[in-house]
Amino acid sequence: MSKSGQHPPEPAQLLLVEDNPGDVRLTKEAFKQGRIENDLHTVSDGSEALDFLHQRGEYTDVPRPDLVLLDLNLPRKDGEEVLEELKDDSELRSIPVIVLTSSRAEEDVVRSYELHANAYLTKPVDPDEFIETVRAFEKFWFSVVRLPPEDEQS
């Protein structure tokens, strides 16, 4: 097929689960500066995250995320509960989950990996470093890593 007949790559579907508006803004800024075409969806608590992932309620028409960025300290349901439920679900467990949190506590790192997080990133306090971290993460996950294909339904 000639180049002109090819479709442009679909944008990556990202779900950011974050209740801090400043961190949401910085993450959006970092992805906007990045080279990867993406649709960044944002929810602000663990219950909303699970509704989004299960396509329930107001989220019935949302796309399945290619990757989830998950804060641990969330209202209603915390990040560990979201991670545990997502990884226990045979339909959703293949979605990579990156814990992106301000917690540097070793037990949070250990617990996240025990619950099958794919990576654990600590948010830098400095906004420029925060953006740099997200850009490095984006480059790695979308340029280097092969993500699992979504089940093709035809």
Side-chain angles (χ1 to χ4, degrees):
M1 188 182 254
S2 72
K3 272 218 178 283
S4 60
Q6 291 178 342
H7 296 293
E10 291 287 310
Q13 300 296 325
L14 306 176
L15 176 60
L16 173 62
V17 187
E18 173 61 72
D19 64 323
N20 179 323
D23 289 350
V24 169
R25 191 176 42 73
L26 282 173
T27 305
K28 285 181 175 177
E29 181 64 32
F31 279 118
K32 203 163 57 181
Q33 292 176 16
R35 296 206 169 90
I36 309 302
E37 189 66 33
N38 68 75
D39 291 333
L40 184 63
H41 308 274
T42 309
V43 295
S44 59
D45 70 50
S47 295
E48 279 184 61
L50 291 167
D51 285 348
F52 189 104
L53 289 159
H54 290 289
Q55 297 172 313
R56 299 186 292 232
E58 66 182 281
Y59 301 107
T60 51
D61 294 328
V62 297
R64 174 188 166 103
D66 295 309
L67 193 132
V68 176
L69 283 167
L70 179 66
D71 188 15
L72 290 182
N73 306 309
L74 296 166
R76 292 170 70 197
K77 253 186 210 274
D78 69 25
E80 282 187 4
E81 291 174 282
V82 172
L83 187 55
E84 190 165 19
E85 191 171 318
L86 187 139
K87 294 300 183 178
D88 280 346
D89 187 309
S90 60
E91 300 280 309
L92 300 174
R93 78 169 55 114
S94 66
I95 299 172
V97 177
I98 314 310
V99 173
L100 180 63
T101 186
S102 52
S103 173
R104 295 180 182 278
E106 201 162 293
E107 61 269 18
D108 286 343
V109 177
V110 169
R111 183 78 181 124
S112 293
Y113 282 118
E114 283 174 350
L115 293 171
H116 308 290
N118 297 81
Y120 189 102
L121 298 175
T122 304
K123 295 177 197 169
V125 177
D126 177 83
D128 292 333
E129 285 179 31
F130 184 100
I131 286 175
E132 215 35 60
T133 298
V134 172
R135 301 261 320 266
F137 145 85
E138 175 195 47
K139 184 174 183 188
F140 175 74
W141 280 95
F142 294 107
S143 300
V144 179
V145 173
R146 279 200 64 188
L147 294 173
E150 190 179 336
D151 294 337
E152 293 297 320
Q153 297 166 346
S154 38

